[in-house]
Amino acid sequence: MGEKEIDFSSVGYLSEPELKYLMQPRDILFSHINSLKHVGKVAFYERDKILYHGMNLLLIRPDDSIVKLSYLFQILSSEKGRANARHEAKPAINQVSLAQKQVLSLPLLLPPLPEQRRIAEILDAHDVCIHTEDGVLGKRRHVKRGLMDDLLTGKVRTSLS
């Protein structure tokens, strides 16, 4: 699982998966058995691609009348949410684990639904900005590397595009 996204390059496939593991768009996956560094990571499933969740991942599909999905995702993926998961995890050989009951009992502040919606909207908007800025910074780093290569090898670039 990537950082807040599903890493499809690490997905394995079964010839006959069970329907109970079939994911629905906007399901949340929660890593509950992993190394301490990765336990508590969450990811949204937002694709039309058919996907079944696997071992070491809990499927979270909350009741929308109690908690807004985007709010829950923001809370679980926050550093505080991840720290709570790491704190509650039980050590095992080369990994830690959280039982489903432990995940369900992680501390969670639940303001009224309209407030949850507004908090999630604000945090989601900031995530979009961060993602956009990361893309721009990546492009700038690529251009800088090209310029450095050109300048350090004596080549002269005719344009910066």
Side-chain angles (χ1 to χ4, degrees):
M1 184 161 47
E3 198 66 42
K4 296 187 180 183
E5 295 177 358
I6 295 170
D7 178 4
F8 281 91
S9 68
S10 66
V11 171
Y13 295 92
L14 298 172
S15 58
E16 294 184 39
E18 293 185 43
L19 283 177
K20 68 181 180 180
Y21 298 112
L22 179 63
M23 296 191 63
Q24 297 175 11
R26 304 209 21 97
D27 279 348
I28 296 174
L29 289 176
F30 184 96
S31 178
H32 72 110
I33 300 174
N34 213 320
S35 66
L36 190 60
K37 177 182 176 183
H38 296 290
V39 77
K41 279 187 175 182
V42 292
F44 261 137
Y45 171 65
E46 296 187 271
R47 305 200 182 183
D48 294 330
K49 192 180 220 179
I50 294 174
L51 185 66
Y52 295 82
H53 76 88
M55 295 171 37
N56 302 347
L57 297 171
L58 288 178
L59 175 67
I60 299 175
R61 195 177 291 151
D63 181 344
D64 205 38
S65 67
I66 298 171
V67 61
K68 292 296 173 198
L69 183 65
S70 55
Y71 174 80
L72 179 61
F73 182 79
Q74 288 289 348
I75 296 300
L76 291 174
S77 64
S78 71
E79 184 49 43
K80 178 107 171 114
R82 295 278 314 283
N84 287 336
R86 288 190 299 266
H87 181 265
E88 294 298 320
K90 304 259 187 274
I93 299 170
N94 296 326
Q95 62 186 9
V96 298
S97 65
L98 285 162
Q100 187 173 358
K101 283 184 179 182
Q102 288 175 288
V103 173
L104 293 173
S105 66
L106 289 173
L108 182 65
L109 177 64
L110 284 178
L113 290 173
E115 193 173 330
Q116 289 180 36
R117 188 177 303 112
R118 186 67 184 131
I119 290 168
E121 286 171 358
I122 291 167
L123 295 174
D124 288 345
H126 282 281
D127 280 346
V128 168
C129 289
I130 289 167
H131 184 71
T132 302
E133 288 174 9
D134 285 347
V136 170
L137 286 174
K139 288 177 185 175
R140 287 184 179 170
R141 284 187 192 103
H142 181 72
V143 169
K144 180 182 176 186
R145 268 188 243 116
L147 284 170
M148 287 175 64
D149 288 346
D150 291 351
L151 292 170
L152 295 174
T153 60
K155 295 180 186 175
V156 178
R157 199 178 268 256
T158 58
S159 78
L160 296 178
S161 56

